[in-house]
Amino acid sequence: MSISDLNQRFAISGHVTFKEGPGGLTVAEVANGLAASTIALQGAHIMTFTPRGQEPVVWLSKFAKFAPGKSIRGGVPICWPWFGPHATDASLPGHGFARTVMWDVLETRAMADGATFLRFGLVETDATRAQWPHASTVQLEVSVGSALRVELVTRNTGKESFVLGEALHTYFHISDVAKMKISGLEGCDYLDKVGGTARKTQEGAIVIESEVDRVYLNTSADYLIEDSGFKRRIRVAGQNARSAVVWNPWVEKADKMGDFGPEGHRGMVCVETANAVENVVTVKPGEEHRLVATYSAETMA
Ligand code: TA6
């Protein structure tokens, strides 16, 4: 659909318009009385989220590359229908294909509380069907208000069950990694992916002083990103999510990736709401599975 068709069908004054964004990507530009957000139709990728009068909550690399078919460094990449490498075929893209293919806009709505609601649906093609030969649909529901609520909805429309891995791979904007700690995962087992894959147990809050790449398993609580530099706490509240991934590439890996920029790793941390590794989900015929994350920021004394 062209940008003018999108605006005719889905723009709402005081809430959302559609335009050409960086790299020629079509974006939904949300601006209401509570927050602003930019969402690319490629990947239904939430690129920014900034509550009114605050620092951005979501981090987007200043060196992000925007191009058709390429994942954007930052924002909320959607890992679907698998997380990390594919279980049996190493030639398939890491974290699945949902973040790099086109999604349609299905609905926009102004909410009674001033938030803006948007619903996107992944566009199936021969290429997606070749990678995921299961009868299914996947939609992303986003509410942009004083909090950002994201719901990834997978439906099994076929006659066979399938196994799904998924993550909302959210990059958070922090003042400095040295001024940040993450609580809520104390006592959880995790797979430490730095230098092998060892199973460990989290003791105390998470402090990041070197590369961190961990999949926490069988989780349930809210996670709090406490940032003494910005004097704020970002709350990550998940539903139907049994894993959490915490990632910061640190210097060497970020330099190799080429889209972080110098010292880029210092201003971000990924805290991902997920179902991964032993927490993958079986979706039965006719069933719907809904992965939910709500991100809100609170001032710290
Ligand atoms: O979620 C953490 C992780 O899987 C890391 O291992 C790291 O490589 C990262 O995601 C980024 O992956 P990407 O494919 O976006 O470069």
Side-chain angles (χ1 to χ4, degrees):
M1 205 183 282
S2 71
I3 288 176
S4 76
D5 287 347
L6 282 167
N7 277 316
Q8 249 172 31
R9 279 195 60 187
F10 296 110
I12 306 173
S13 168
H15 282 271
V16 57
T17 54
F18 294 84
K19 63 178 211 186
E20 187 176 316
L25 300 182
T26 301
V27 297
E29 193 100 303
V30 180
N32 57 40
L34 303 169
S37 175
T38 307
I39 307 170
L41 268 52
Q42 174 174 292
H45 195 129
I46 300 168
M47 290 159 49
T48 64
F49 169 66
T50 309
R52 292 270 168 230
Q54 279 193 40
E55 286 287 333
V57 165
V58 163
W59 180 86
L60 177 66
S61 174
K62 291 190 180 74
F63 296 81
K65 294 170 184 154
F66 303 95
K70 295 270 174 258
S71 179
I72 299 164
R73 182 68 62 204
V76 186
I78 295 171
C79 304
W80 188 97
W82 58 87
F83 176 82
H86 187 270
T88 53
D89 185 349
S91 71
L92 293 178
H95 293 327
F97 52 81
R99 61 182 178 161
T100 54
V101 302
M102 285 307 291
W103 294 57
D104 279 334
V105 181
L106 302 177
E107 184 184 352
T108 55
R109 213 179 331 136
M111 310 286 284
D113 65 357
T116 308
F117 174 84
L118 305 99
R119 190 157 57 85
F120 303 90
L122 184 141
V123 179
E124 264 191 44
T125 61
D126 289 346
T128 64
R129 275 187 287 267
Q131 297 177 69
W132 178 248
H134 302 286
S136 61
T137 63
V138 60
Q139 297 188 354
L140 190 78
E141 299 179 359
V142 182
S143 301
V144 179
S146 50
L148 176 68
R149 184 176 170 93
V150 187
E151 306 199 22
L152 183 65
V153 188
T154 304
R155 292 190 185 94
N156 185 336
T157 54
K159 293 191 167 66
E160 310 279 334
S161 294
F162 56 74
V163 175
L164 175 71
E166 56 182 349
L168 300 166
H169 192 305
T170 307
Y171 291 73
F172 291 99
H173 172 60
I174 53 174
S175 62
D176 188 286
V177 68
K179 295 185 177 149
M180 183 269 338
K181 65 179 181 184
I182 302 164
S183 59
L185 289 159
E186 297 82 348
C188 280
D189 275 10
Y190 66 93
L191 300 177
D192 188 349
K193 298 208 290 181
V194 176
T197 308
R199 194 169 180 123
K200 299 180 180 168
T201 303
Q202 180 64 37
E203 283 167 31
I206 302 167
V207 175
I208 299 184
E209 295 170 315
S210 60
E211 183 187 350
V212 167
D213 191 354
R214 301 176 183 172
V215 182
Y216 287 84
L217 299 164
N218 308 317
T219 59
S220 56
D222 290 2
Y223 321 122
L224 297 173
I225 303 168
E226 295 178 36
D227 183 342
S228 62
F230 285 157
K231 293 196 169 23
R232 78 170 175 188
R233 190 183 292 122
I234 299 172
R235 179 178 294 274
V236 179
Q239 286 169 35
N240 305 322
R242 305 219 48 225
S243 318
V245 182
V246 176
W247 180 58
N248 183 295
W250 212 249
V251 184
E252 222 175 280
K253 206 163 211 179
D255 282 353
K256 275 197 201 129
M257 292 181 131
D259 52 6
F260 269 82
E263 298 294 297
H265 72 285
R266 297 208 69 90
M268 60 67 68
V269 67
C270 284
V271 180
E272 306 168 34
T273 302
N275 287 300
V277 197
E278 64 199 50
N279 295 142
V280 289
V281 175
T282 299
V283 187
K284 295 195 185 122
E287 264 186 15
E288 169 185 295
H289 165 74
R290 198 172 269 267
L291 173 69
V292 184
T294 306
Y295 310 122
S296 55
E298 306 158 9
T299 306
M300 273 188 342

